Amino acid sequence: MQRNDLSRSLVAFDQNSTLVSVIELSLKSWLVAGLVPGVERSPLKKQGADPDMLLALLHRWRAEAIKAGRQVERIVVAFEAGRDGFWLARWLRARGIEAYVIHPTSIPVSREHRRAKSDRLDTQLLMRSVLGWLRGEVKHCRMVAIPTLAEEDARRPNREHEMLVKERSRIINRMKATMVRLGIRSFNIKLRKAADKLAGLRTPEGVALPANTLDELRRDLARLHLIREQLGAIEKARLARLKGAPQEGAHPMLLMLAKVLGIGVETADMLVHEVLSRDLRDDRAVGRYGGMTGAPDESGSKRGEKGLAKGGNARVRRGMIQLAWRWLMFQKGSALAQWYRTRTAGARGDVRKTMIVALARKLLIALWRYVRTGEVPAGAKLRPAAI
């Protein structure tokens, strides 16, 4: 979460003047639990998925606290991050309510094999965690940074691009499998005119493609053509935005990153909007958010590692590991590439794979410093941004 949110939440928490509420969100209904000053009962209300009803409920609880002789100076609402995103938190904050979004994996739960699970029990668990966090015991849970609508929207092109690339690969692999099933191995289905050449294809048996298979391939090629058009539209729109407003928002950071040899606009866009533009505290926080820190397994004299924690942003982790391999190709003279070659000289087995993750973490931190302070990674080559 962002540091300003943390400092604001821990200012003089007084349970006698603070109304605290947690919500279990679902598609059609919300279960709202409250801790109302001066009221002995712990109210629990199930209502429709309507923010106006929620606001009216909070005001009613505040009126009950005032009637009991307590002055409510602060209303805090928290809920777990999920499909609903952050719109409710922004909506509540615009109306003077402190709203926080809890990271779901940060809530400690019972390790019983068959623990009871219900929305009512979940609200109790959330309430205990939020109260501890408000008192300053930050390990009770972690809060997610709430982005603005513009920040959320800026991530959409890159995420849609990633989804379309996966869909393109899936279609191509399925078409290749269909061809191999018929014994055809030399036909390139990625050709622009592949659809025109399907009718003339012959199997090793000397017969044309079966009618149903031919229709299936044509439909797949039509989908592939549509995906290519959509990918091209996303890339053109992004370049147009960069050229039209190079100093707007995170564009300067993106243009800086695109100057580094081996980093394309697509990778730069992903890194900037997913991690580099976030208000992270230090180098260690950057590595943790990238999900490239270790998970120690220590107990008594036992010392070990479970591997990567994978607790951060999966997109950043995948992208940085791919970028680390490219870094070794395009930035051979950099200090990081030389460090990797020194550590893996003569190594066997999975050492190279383990060290590439370490290189990806170091590279992410180096790029974070570069876009923040202008400090170029040691030995890295830059190029004029061709945008």
Side-chain angles (χ1 to χ4, degrees):
M1 67 169 297
Q2 294 181 347
R3 284 173 286 174
N4 55 354
D5 282 351
L6 179 59
S7 60
R8 180 173 61 180
S9 65
L10 302 183
V11 172
F13 172 63
D14 182 3
Q15 190 167 327
N16 292 322
S17 62
T18 304
L19 193 160
V20 182
S21 176
V22 296
I23 314 172
E24 273 291 315
L25 303 175
S26 62
L27 183 61
K28 296 182 180 180
S29 63
W30 295 346
L31 186 63
V32 187
L35 185 64
V36 183
V39 178
E40 293 185 3
R41 64 184 179 88
S42 298
L44 188 66
K45 173 68 175 178
K46 187 173 184 179
Q47 63 163 53
D50 185 347
D52 291 319
M53 292 176 61
L54 173 63
L55 191 61
L57 179 63
L58 295 174
H59 289 166
R60 178 161 62 85
W61 284 347
R62 181 173 61 181
E64 291 183 17
I66 294 174
K67 186 177 180 180
R70 302 296 176 87
Q71 185 65 35
V72 176
E73 300 176 353
R74 187 180 181 192
I75 300 179
V76 177
V77 176
F79 55 90
E80 285 185 293
R83 181 177 57 182
D84 285 87
F86 303 98
W87 72 268
L88 180 58
R90 290 193 295 262
W91 189 90
L92 288 169
R93 287 188 173 185
R95 286 151 181 81
I97 307 294
E98 283 190 41
Y100 299 101
V101 180
I102 308 169
H103 198 297
T105 61
S106 69
I107 302 293
V109 298
S110 171
R111 293 188 293 177
E112 292 177 294
H113 180 58
R114 290 187 177 179
R115 68 181 182 91
K117 171 71 171 67
S118 68
D119 287 345
R120 179 182 60 83
L121 295 175
D122 286 346
T123 57
Q124 296 175 1
L125 183 60
L126 288 179
M127 182 65 76
R128 289 196 297 271
S129 299
V130 170
L131 288 176
W133 184 79
L134 289 172
R135 287 193 299 266
E137 304 168 21
V138 293
K139 293 299 182 181
H140 270 269
C141 61
R142 294 194 307 273
M143 299 299 176
V144 181
I146 299 175
T148 64
L149 187 59
E151 290 172 342
E152 271 196 297
D153 188 63
R155 300 171 187 166
R156 300 315 307 166
N158 184 266
R159 293 187 178 187
E160 183 187 5
H161 191 281
E162 180 185 21
M163 181 271 294
L164 290 173
V165 168
K166 290 180 180 179
E167 181 68 12
R168 181 181 63 185
S169 300
R170 186 183 66 83
I171 292 175
I172 290 175
N173 290 338
R174 187 175 66 203
M175 294 175 66
K176 285 181 178 180
T178 300
M179 292 291 188
V180 171
R181 178 171 54 83
L182 297 174
I184 302 173
R185 298 177 181 272
S186 58
F187 183 71
N188 187 0
I189 58 177
K190 297 180 183 179
L191 295 174
R192 294 289 180 179
K193 297 183 179 180
D196 300 332
K197 298 181 178 181
L198 283 178
L201 278 180
R202 293 294 182 270
T203 68
E205 301 166 276
V207 299
L209 297 180
N212 291 332
T213 301
L214 182 60
D215 291 341
E216 177 186 349
L217 289 172
R218 283 173 174 166
R219 287 190 290 268
D220 283 340
L221 283 172
R223 295 190 189 99
L224 187 59
H225 178 69
L226 176 60
I227 289 174
R228 284 171 173 165
E229 287 185 343
Q230 292 177 342
L231 286 171
I234 292 173
E235 293 165 359
K236 289 179 182 178
R238 177 169 49 213
L239 291 177
R241 286 192 296 269
L242 286 173
K243 291 180 179 179
Q247 300 301 319
E248 179 182 323
H251 289 175
M253 196 179 292
L254 197 158
L255 293 173
M256 279 185 66
L257 206 57
K259 290 182 180 180
V260 181
L261 187 64
I263 300 180
V265 178
E266 188 66 36
T267 302
D269 185 47
M270 182 275 294
L271 289 176
V272 166
H273 290 114
E274 294 291 345
V275 59
L276 298 181
S277 60
R278 298 177 68 92
D279 186 19
L280 297 174
R281 183 179 62 254
D282 52 22
D283 295 358
R284 296 180 64 184
V286 174
R288 284 196 301 270
Y289 186 79
M292 291 178 287
T293 54
D297 184 16
E298 300 181 359
S299 178
S301 60
K302 177 184 176 182
R303 295 292 185 273
E305 283 281 343
K306 296 180 181 179
L308 283 182
K310 294 186 178 181
N313 191 315
R315 291 182 177 86
V316 175
R317 183 171 63 251
R318 290 193 301 266
M320 284 307 305
I321 291 176
Q322 293 171 4
L323 178 58
W325 289 114
R326 292 204 307 273
W327 190 265
L328 296 176
M329 295 173 57
F330 293 98
Q331 299 283 0
K332 296 180 180 179
S334 66
L336 287 175
Q338 293 175 5
W339 172 85
Y340 175 83
R341 285 196 295 269
T342 301
R343 297 294 295 269
T344 58
R348 297 181 180 180
D350 294 333
V351 175
R352 282 169 52 85
K353 293 182 180 180
T354 302
M355 293 308 300
I356 203 66
V357 177
L359 174 62
R361 181 174 61 249
K362 287 177 174 291
L363 179 57
L364 177 61
I365 294 171
L367 295 177
W368 178 72
R369 289 175 179 167
Y370 169 58
V371 298
R372 291 284 176 172
T373 66
E375 177 188 353
V376 180
K381 297 179 181 180
L382 301 183
R383 63 187 174 197
I387 294 177

